[in-house]
Amino acid sequence: MDSRQPPHIPITIFTGFLGAGKTSIILSLLPLLPKDYKVVLLKNEFGDVQVDSQLAKQSSLTAVSEILNGCMCCVLVGQMETALLEIRDRYRPDRIIIECSGSAFPATLAFQIRELERQTNNDLRLDAIVTVIDAENFTGYEDTSPTAKMQASYSDIILINKHEHVDDRALDILIDNLNTLNLDTPKIKCNGRNGLFRDPIPQGIEDHHDEVKTLTAYRGFLPTWMLDKGILESALASLNKESVWRVKGFVRLDSAIWILNWAFGRYDLTLSKGDTSFMQDASIRLTIMGDKYELNRKPIPVAVKKFCADLQVQVM
Protein backbone atom coordinates (compact mmCIF):
# COMPACT_ATOMS: atom_id res chain seq x y z
CA MET A 1 0.00 0.00 0.00
CA ASP A 2 1.11 3.55 -0.75
CA SER A 3 2.52 5.06 2.44
CA ARG A 4 0.47 8.21 1.78
CA GLN A 5 -2.78 6.28 1.87
CA PRO A 6 -4.65 6.41 5.17
CA PRO A 7 -4.75 3.22 7.28
CA HIS A 8 -8.51 3.41 6.88
CA ILE A 9 -10.98 5.61 4.98
CA PRO A 10 -13.16 7.77 7.24
CA ILE A 11 -16.79 8.27 6.21
CA THR A 12 -18.55 11.48 7.24
CA ILE A 13 -22.33 11.60 6.94
CA PHE A 14 -24.12 14.91 6.33
CA THR A 15 -27.84 14.90 7.08
CA GLY A 16 -30.41 17.67 7.22
CA PHE A 17 -33.90 18.41 5.98
CA LEU A 18 -34.65 19.57 2.44
CA GLY A 19 -33.01 22.89 1.62
CA ALA A 20 -30.99 23.10 4.84
CA GLY A 21 -27.82 23.83 2.85
CA LYS A 22 -25.86 20.58 3.07
CA THR A 23 -24.27 20.86 -0.38
CA SER A 24 -23.28 24.50 0.11
CA ILE A 25 -21.59 23.74 3.42
CA ILE A 26 -19.72 20.73 2.05
CA LEU A 27 -18.45 22.73 -0.94
CA SER A 28 -17.43 25.62 1.32
CA LEU A 29 -15.26 23.30 3.41
CA LEU A 30 -13.30 21.86 0.48
CA PRO A 31 -10.98 24.88 -0.04
CA LEU A 32 -9.86 24.53 3.59
CA LEU A 33 -8.38 21.08 2.93
CA PRO A 34 -4.80 20.40 1.76
CA LYS A 35 -4.40 20.54 -2.02
CA ASP A 36 -3.61 16.83 -2.32
CA TYR A 37 -6.41 15.70 0.02
CA LYS A 38 -8.80 13.47 -1.96
CA VAL A 39 -12.50 13.61 -1.13
CA VAL A 40 -15.24 11.66 -2.88
CA LEU A 41 -18.86 12.72 -2.40
CA LEU A 42 -21.66 10.14 -2.44
CA LYS A 43 -25.02 11.88 -2.88
CA ASN A 44 -28.54 10.57 -2.41
CA GLU A 45 -30.92 12.67 -4.54
CA PHE A 46 -34.68 13.09 -4.91
CA GLY A 47 -36.08 13.03 -8.43
CA ASP A 48 -34.27 12.76 -11.75
CA VAL A 49 -32.67 16.22 -11.77
CA GLN A 50 -29.07 15.93 -10.59
CA VAL A 51 -28.68 19.57 -9.56
CA ASP A 52 -26.42 19.41 -6.52
CA SER A 53 -24.17 16.90 -8.24
CA GLN A 54 -23.63 19.35 -11.10
CA LEU A 55 -22.56 21.95 -8.55
CA ALA A 56 -20.31 19.45 -6.81
CA LYS A 57 -18.63 18.42 -10.06
CA GLN A 58 -17.60 22.05 -10.55
CA SER A 59 -15.63 21.87 -7.26
CA SER A 60 -12.30 20.31 -6.24
CA LEU A 61 -13.86 16.98 -5.34
CA THR A 62 -12.03 13.92 -6.64
CA ALA A 63 -15.33 12.37 -7.75
CA VAL A 64 -19.08 12.54 -7.23
CA SER A 65 -21.26 9.43 -7.11
CA GLU A 66 -25.06 9.54 -7.12
CA ILE A 67 -27.90 7.36 -5.89
CA LEU A 68 -31.25 8.61 -7.22
CA ASN A 69 -34.94 8.08 -6.47
CA GLY A 70 -35.11 6.55 -3.04
CA CYS A 71 -33.58 6.72 0.41
CA MET A 72 -30.34 4.82 0.95
CA CYS A 73 -30.95 4.34 4.65
CA CYS A 74 -33.70 1.82 3.86
CA VAL A 75 -34.79 0.89 0.33
CA LEU A 76 -31.38 1.53 -1.29
CA VAL A 77 -29.15 -0.13 1.30
CA GLY A 78 -27.48 -2.45 -1.20
CA GLN A 79 -26.74 0.39 -3.61
CA MET A 80 -25.04 2.40 -0.88
CA GLU A 81 -22.80 -0.46 0.19
CA THR A 82 -21.86 -1.21 -3.42
CA ALA A 83 -21.14 2.45 -4.10
CA LEU A 84 -18.88 2.79 -1.04
CA LEU A 85 -16.88 -0.28 -1.97
CA GLU A 86 -16.51 0.92 -5.57
CA ILE A 87 -15.32 4.34 -4.37
CA ARG A 88 -12.76 2.70 -2.11
CA ASP A 89 -11.40 0.43 -4.83
CA ARG A 90 -11.36 3.02 -7.62
CA TYR A 91 -10.16 6.17 -5.86
CA ARG A 92 -8.77 5.19 -2.45
CA PRO A 93 -9.70 8.68 -1.15
CA ASP A 94 -8.61 10.32 2.07
CA ARG A 95 -12.27 10.71 3.01
CA ILE A 96 -15.74 9.81 1.75
CA ILE A 97 -18.58 12.24 2.42
CA ILE A 98 -22.12 10.91 2.23
CA GLU A 99 -24.74 13.60 1.64
CA CYS A 100 -28.11 12.10 2.48
CA SER A 101 -31.48 12.94 1.04
CA GLY A 102 -33.65 15.16 3.19
CA SER A 103 -35.58 12.15 4.49
CA ALA A 104 -32.72 9.95 5.69
CA PHE A 105 -32.56 8.52 9.22
CA PRO A 106 -28.92 8.92 10.35
CA ALA A 107 -29.15 6.10 12.88
CA THR A 108 -29.90 3.45 10.28
CA LEU A 109 -27.14 4.79 8.01
CA ALA A 110 -24.70 4.56 10.92
CA PHE A 111 -25.75 0.97 11.55
CA GLN A 112 -25.13 0.03 7.92
CA ILE A 113 -21.67 1.60 7.89
CA ARG A 114 -20.83 -0.19 11.14
CA GLU A 115 -21.63 -3.39 9.28
CA LEU A 116 -19.29 -2.31 6.47
CA GLU A 117 -16.59 -1.69 9.07
CA ARG A 118 -16.89 -5.31 10.11
CA GLN A 119 -16.98 -6.59 6.52
CA THR A 120 -13.92 -4.56 5.46
CA ASN A 121 -11.93 -5.14 8.64
CA ASN A 122 -12.21 -1.42 9.49
CA ASP A 123 -10.88 -0.31 6.10
CA LEU A 124 -14.07 1.78 5.79
CA ARG A 125 -14.91 3.46 9.07
CA LEU A 126 -17.64 5.80 10.26
CA ASP A 127 -16.09 9.11 11.27
CA ALA A 128 -19.01 11.34 12.29
CA ILE A 129 -22.61 12.30 11.62
CA VAL A 130 -23.10 16.00 10.91
CA THR A 131 -26.61 17.47 10.88
CA VAL A 132 -27.30 20.77 9.11
CA ILE A 133 -30.18 22.80 10.54
CA ASP A 134 -31.99 25.55 8.62
CA ALA A 135 -32.31 28.31 11.24
CA GLU A 136 -34.99 30.11 9.22
CA ASN A 137 -37.37 27.20 8.86
CA PHE A 138 -36.59 24.45 11.38
CA THR A 139 -39.18 25.58 13.93
CA GLY A 140 -41.77 25.26 11.15
CA TYR A 141 -40.95 21.87 9.67
CA GLU A 142 -39.86 20.11 12.87
CA ASP A 143 -43.52 19.81 13.87
CA THR A 144 -44.53 18.15 10.60
CA SER A 145 -41.47 15.95 10.07
CA PRO A 146 -40.40 13.26 12.57
CA THR A 147 -37.37 12.75 10.32
CA ALA A 148 -36.15 16.31 10.98
CA LYS A 149 -36.36 15.66 14.71
CA MET A 150 -34.55 12.35 14.34
CA GLN A 151 -31.74 14.00 12.35
CA ALA A 152 -31.23 16.59 15.09
CA SER A 153 -31.39 13.96 17.82
CA TYR A 154 -28.90 11.50 16.34
CA SER A 155 -25.83 13.54 15.46
CA ASP A 156 -22.22 14.11 16.52
CA ILE A 157 -22.32 17.80 15.61
CA ILE A 158 -25.10 20.21 14.63
CA LEU A 159 -24.38 23.02 12.17
CA ILE A 160 -26.84 25.91 12.34
CA ASN A 161 -27.09 27.35 8.85
CA LYS A 162 -28.80 30.57 7.64
CA HIS A 163 -28.65 32.01 11.17
CA GLU A 164 -27.87 35.44 9.72
CA HIS A 165 -31.45 35.58 8.40
CA VAL A 166 -33.09 35.38 11.86
CA ASP A 167 -33.05 37.72 14.85
CA ASP A 168 -31.48 36.90 18.21
CA ARG A 169 -34.77 35.87 19.83
CA ALA A 170 -35.63 33.44 17.01
CA LEU A 171 -32.13 31.98 17.23
CA ASP A 172 -32.48 31.52 21.00
CA ILE A 173 -35.79 29.70 20.50
CA LEU A 174 -34.20 27.48 17.86
CA ILE A 175 -31.28 26.57 20.14
CA ASP A 176 -33.71 25.83 22.99
CA ASN A 177 -35.63 23.48 20.68
CA LEU A 178 -32.42 21.78 19.57
CA ASN A 179 -31.29 21.38 23.18
CA THR A 180 -34.60 19.71 23.96
CA LEU A 181 -33.91 17.19 21.20
CA ASN A 182 -30.17 16.85 21.77
CA LEU A 183 -28.58 18.60 24.73
CA ASP A 184 -25.00 17.27 24.63
CA THR A 185 -24.11 17.56 20.94
CA PRO A 186 -22.05 20.68 20.02
CA LYS A 187 -23.97 23.27 18.02
CA ILE A 188 -21.99 25.55 15.70
CA LYS A 189 -23.26 28.49 13.67
CA CYS A 190 -22.04 28.42 10.11
CA ASN A 191 -22.55 29.98 6.74
CA GLY A 192 -23.22 27.73 3.77
CA ARG A 193 -21.25 30.01 1.44
CA ASN A 194 -18.24 30.79 3.59
CA GLY A 195 -17.85 27.70 5.72
CA LEU A 196 -17.64 27.31 9.48
CA PHE A 197 -16.61 30.14 11.76
CA ARG A 198 -15.00 29.15 14.24
CA ASP A 199 -25.43 3.78 19.93
CA PRO A 200 -29.01 2.89 20.20
CA ILE A 201 -30.46 2.04 16.79
CA PRO A 202 -34.26 2.36 16.41
CA GLN A 203 -35.98 -0.96 15.92
CA GLY A 204 -37.66 -1.19 12.54
CA ILE A 205 -37.72 1.36 9.72
CA GLU A 206 -40.65 3.69 9.18
CA ASP A 207 -41.68 4.61 5.68
CA HIS A 208 -40.33 8.12 6.26
CA HIS A 209 -39.45 8.52 2.59
CA ASP A 210 -43.18 9.14 2.08
CA GLU A 211 -43.01 12.40 4.03
CA VAL A 212 -41.73 14.03 0.84
CA LYS A 213 -43.64 14.11 -2.43
CA THR A 214 -41.77 14.97 -5.62
CA LEU A 215 -43.12 16.31 -8.90
CA THR A 216 -41.19 16.75 -12.13
CA ALA A 217 -41.82 19.91 -14.16
CA TYR A 218 -40.69 19.97 -17.80
CA ARG A 219 -40.85 22.26 -20.80
CA GLY A 220 -39.46 21.37 -24.19
CA PHE A 221 -37.01 23.59 -26.07
CA LEU A 222 -38.09 25.96 -28.81
CA PRO A 223 -35.48 28.38 -30.24
CA THR A 224 -38.11 31.13 -30.26
CA TRP A 225 -38.91 30.76 -26.56
CA MET A 226 -36.56 31.89 -23.80
CA LEU A 227 -37.39 32.04 -20.13
CA ASP A 228 -37.32 35.57 -18.72
CA LYS A 229 -35.66 35.91 -15.31
CA GLY A 230 -38.44 38.19 -14.11
CA ILE A 231 -41.06 35.55 -14.95
CA LEU A 232 -39.00 32.93 -13.11
CA GLU A 233 -38.73 35.13 -10.01
CA SER A 234 -42.46 35.84 -10.07
CA ALA A 235 -43.28 32.15 -10.40
CA LEU A 236 -41.00 31.23 -7.49
CA ALA A 237 -42.53 33.98 -5.36
CA SER A 238 -45.98 32.45 -5.89
CA LEU A 239 -45.02 29.19 -4.17
CA ASN A 240 -46.36 28.46 -0.69
CA LYS A 241 -43.37 27.41 1.42
CA GLU A 242 -45.67 25.64 3.87
CA SER A 243 -46.44 23.01 1.25
CA VAL A 244 -43.54 23.35 -1.24
CA TRP A 245 -40.17 23.03 0.47
CA ARG A 246 -37.71 22.95 -2.39
CA VAL A 247 -37.43 23.39 -6.15
CA LYS A 248 -34.22 22.49 -7.94
CA GLY A 249 -33.27 21.85 -11.51
CA PHE A 250 -32.10 23.46 -14.72
CA VAL A 251 -33.47 26.44 -16.65
CA ARG A 252 -32.42 27.99 -19.94
CA LEU A 253 -31.76 31.73 -19.56
CA ASP A 254 -30.02 33.94 -22.13
CA SER A 255 -29.01 30.93 -24.28
CA ALA A 256 -27.20 29.36 -21.30
CA ILE A 257 -28.13 26.60 -18.86
CA TRP A 258 -28.42 27.68 -15.22
CA ILE A 259 -28.76 25.58 -12.08
CA LEU A 260 -31.73 26.66 -9.95
CA ASN A 261 -31.85 26.01 -6.21
CA TRP A 262 -34.93 27.32 -4.36
CA ALA A 263 -35.70 26.53 -0.72
CA PHE A 264 -38.31 28.09 1.55
CA GLY A 265 -38.52 31.37 -0.35
CA ARG A 266 -34.85 31.93 -1.25
CA TYR A 267 -33.15 30.93 -4.47
CA ASP A 268 -29.78 30.81 -6.22
CA LEU A 269 -28.92 30.64 -9.92
CA THR A 270 -25.52 29.17 -10.85
CA LEU A 271 -24.21 28.92 -14.41
CA SER A 272 -23.80 25.24 -15.28
CA LYS A 273 -20.29 24.44 -16.49
CA GLY A 274 -20.78 20.70 -16.73
CA ASP A 275 -22.31 18.45 -19.35
CA THR A 276 -25.74 19.85 -20.25
CA SER A 277 -26.50 17.54 -23.17
CA PHE A 278 -29.53 16.26 -21.25
CA MET A 279 -31.04 19.76 -21.73
CA GLN A 280 -30.69 19.66 -25.52
CA ASP A 281 -34.45 19.26 -25.95
CA ALA A 282 -35.53 21.08 -22.79
CA SER A 283 -35.93 24.66 -21.66
CA ILE A 284 -36.90 23.80 -18.09
CA ARG A 285 -36.36 20.62 -16.09
CA LEU A 286 -37.22 20.92 -12.40
CA THR A 287 -37.96 18.75 -9.41
CA ILE A 288 -40.56 20.14 -6.98
CA MET A 289 -40.48 18.74 -3.44
CA GLY A 290 -42.90 19.28 -0.60
CA ASP A 291 -45.45 17.94 1.84
CA LYS A 292 -46.92 14.71 0.50
CA TYR A 293 -50.44 15.53 1.67
CA GLU A 294 -50.47 18.86 -0.15
CA LEU A 295 -48.77 17.77 -3.38
CA ASN A 296 -50.91 14.62 -3.63
CA ARG A 297 -54.10 16.68 -3.62
CA LYS A 298 -56.39 16.57 -6.65
CA PRO A 299 -56.62 18.98 -8.28
CA ILE A 300 -53.05 20.18 -7.88
CA PRO A 301 -52.66 22.94 -5.21
CA VAL A 302 -53.34 26.46 -6.51
CA ALA A 303 -49.81 27.76 -5.82
CA VAL A 304 -48.20 24.88 -7.71
CA LYS A 305 -50.72 25.24 -10.53
CA LYS A 306 -49.89 28.95 -10.87
CA PHE A 307 -46.16 28.24 -10.74
CA CYS A 308 -46.47 25.72 -13.56
CA ALA A 309 -48.74 28.00 -15.60
CA ASP A 310 -46.34 30.95 -15.25
CA LEU A 311 -43.44 28.84 -16.51
CA GLN A 312 -45.59 26.96 -19.06
CA VAL A 313 -44.31 23.62 -17.80
CA GLN A 314 -45.96 20.22 -17.69
CA VAL A 315 -46.04 18.26 -14.42
CA MET A 316 -44.91 14.72 -15.06
Side-chain angles (χ1 to χ4, degrees):
M1 178 183 293
D2 186 336
S3 61
R4 294 176 65 253
Q5 292 181 349
H8 66 271
I9 300 174
I11 298 174
T12 305
I13 298 174
F14 276 75
T15 70
F17 203 63
L18 293 169
K22 299 184 291 293
T23 301
S24 297
I25 287 176
I26 291 169
L27 297 184
S28 74
L29 293 173
L30 295 178
L32 305 179
L33 298 173
K35 295 292 186 182
D36 59 348
Y37 194 87
K38 295 193 297 183
V39 178
V40 173
L41 176 63
L42 175 60
K43 290 182 60 64
N44 188 195
E45 289 272 30
F46 275 116
D48 61 355
V49 180
Q50 304 168 34
V51 175
D52 295 336
S53 293
Q54 282 279 345
L55 291 172
K57 286 171 182 174
Q58 296 174 194
S59 72
S60 59
L61 287 162
T62 299
V64 179
S65 183
E66 299 153 328
I67 295 178
L68 298 176
N69 295 321
C71 182
M72 63 184 172
C73 75
C74 47
V75 297
L76 300 179
V77 173
Q79 287 188 40
M80 184 194 73
E81 292 179 354
T82 299
L84 288 172
L85 292 172
E86 288 179 350
I87 289 169
R88 178 195 66 171
D89 296 340
R90 182 173 181 181
Y91 299 105
R92 192 68 199 182
D94 294 288
R95 180 175 302 272
I96 298 173
I97 294 177
I98 296 178
E99 183 185 340
C100 304
S101 71
S103 69
F105 277 175
T108 49
L109 278 172
F111 177 77
Q112 293 158 25
I113 294 174
R114 295 293 187 199
E115 283 294 299
L116 266 181
E117 287 181 4
R118 182 183 60 80
Q119 296 171 23
T120 63
N121 195 25
N122 284 327
D123 192 30
L124 292 172
R125 186 182 300 176
L126 179 63
D127 173 57
I129 296 174
V130 180
T131 298
V132 180
I133 297 295
D134 177 350
E136 269 192 297
N137 299 290
F138 183 76
T139 52
Y141 63 62
E142 67 166 328
D143 292 332
T144 60
S145 173
T147 304
K149 290 184 177 180
M150 177 68 75
Q151 290 167 345
S153 301
Y154 196 95
S155 181
D156 295 303
I157 188 168
I158 293 175
L159 303 183
I160 302 176
N161 197 24
K162 307 182 188 178
H163 60 88
E164 64 272 21
H165 300 310
V166 302
D167 58 31
D168 291 342
R169 174 168 171 73
L171 187 59
D172 287 342
I173 292 172
L174 168 66
I175 292 175
D176 286 344
N177 289 348
L178 291 174
N179 284 336
T180 300
L181 295 171
N182 190 335
L183 179 61
D184 298 326
T185 294
K187 299 161 188 72
I188 300 176
K189 290 190 293 183
C190 65
N191 186 306
R193 297 184 182 280
N194 300 319
L196 303 183
F197 53 26
R198 9 185 288 208
D199 249 324
I201 303 299
Q203 297 298 313
I205 298 174
E206 299 178 37
D207 193 9
H208 57 279
H209 185 63
D210 281 348
E211 284 182 26
V212 181
K213 170 71 175 181
T214 65
L215 303 173
T216 298
Y218 172 85
R219 180 186 171 96
F221 174 60
L222 292 174
T224 57
W225 187 87
M226 284 292 172
L227 176 62
D228 179 78
K229 187 177 180 181
I231 293 176
L232 175 62
E233 289 179 341
S234 175
L236 291 171
S238 72
L239 290 171
N240 178 0
K241 66 179 185 179
E242 300 300 320
S243 55
V244 179
W245 299 328
R246 192 165 186 199
V247 177
K248 61 181 183 177
F250 298 87
V251 295
R252 191 182 294 271
L253 294 171
D254 301 324
S255 302
I257 305 299
W258 294 77
I259 300 170
L260 170 68
N261 252 316
W262 178 95
F264 297 103
R266 297 181 183 275
Y267 82 94
D268 288 314
L269 280 171
T270 305
L271 184 64
S272 178
K273 300 177 183 177
D275 179 15
T276 57
S277 58
F278 59 90
M279 286 289 289
Q280 182 177 356
D281 299 321
S283 296
I284 300 173
R285 191 185 294 271
L286 301 172
T287 296
I288 303 168
M289 291 163 274
D291 182 271
K292 69 172 183 180
Y293 299 107
E294 285 297 311
L295 296 192
N296 273 331
R297 281 169 48 194
K298 303 295 182 185
I300 192 170
V302 173
V304 177
K305 185 176 181 180
K306 182 179 186 309
F307 173 79
C308 294
D310 288 348
L311 296 183
Q312 301 179 45
V313 294
Q314 293 181 316
V315 176
M316 314 296 281

